[in-house]
Amino acid sequence: MGDPQTERILREGTLHLEGEFLWGSNYTFLVRAVHPAGERLAVYKPRRGERPLWDFPEGSLAAREVAAYVVSETLGWALVPLTVLRDDGPAGAGSLQEFLDLDFDRHYFSFTPEEKDRLRPAALFDLLVNNADRKAGHILFGPDGHLWLIDHGICFHPEDKLRTVIWDFAGQPIPASLLADIDRARQSWTDSSPARQQLEGLLSFDEVEALLQRAGHLLGHPVFPHPGPGRPFPWPLV
């Protein structure tokens, strides 16, 4: 799980606005969380700054960011930086994600073949959460080589919305170790379990059920799919 001290600072610290990220469709800010236990920089996405979408409920993107973190942690893959909800942000309620000092100029299209070969968990994660916007710039490696995924506001739709740049493994079998993680996570999302209740506090009942169905489908058909009809790639790509 994420670092408990960092989580406490993000949940309880006083938030100070540091700046604004100017890319993306929604308002996104850099804030500093100040707490007696320490300070952390974080990416703050207020609900008030979300651009309305025709196919996602208004004001729901921040909760989806947190749900993606919860799924990543339940799987044990640690792909998504620590993310929490705050009701008292500078612009109101929104998601708060630990800011990682990464090289954002290094992304999917500049990865080496060896780095791309490490992206199976990322591709599988996007299948599970039904990511409708996996751009190249949302896939990053830390200085220590750790794989990170960011920007999950438009995930978890009950209908198939998958759009991603990662189709490298189409037709290949899903590794048994990753399937075992999915099976364990799926069992933890059973009715009335604490993990299930946590997800239902962030997503609708239908969205949680769809997550379970996608997990079951992957376990029953353990092969990375090929791009489907329609629009399987995000736009822009980076």
Side-chain angles (χ1 to χ4, degrees), residues 57-76:
E58 187 173 349
S60 71
L61 274 58
R64 296 172 195 279
E65 295 274 4
V66 181
Y69 169 71
V70 170
V71 170
S72 169
E73 293 299 296
T74 306
L75 290 164

Side-chain angles (χ1 to χ4, degrees), residues 173-194:
I174 297 172
S177 60
L178 298 180
L179 290 171
D181 292 337
I182 293 174
D183 190 31
R184 175 178 44 78
R186 182 172 178 264
Q187 293 179 42
S188 78
W189 296 325
T190 55
D191 293 342
S192 75
S193 71

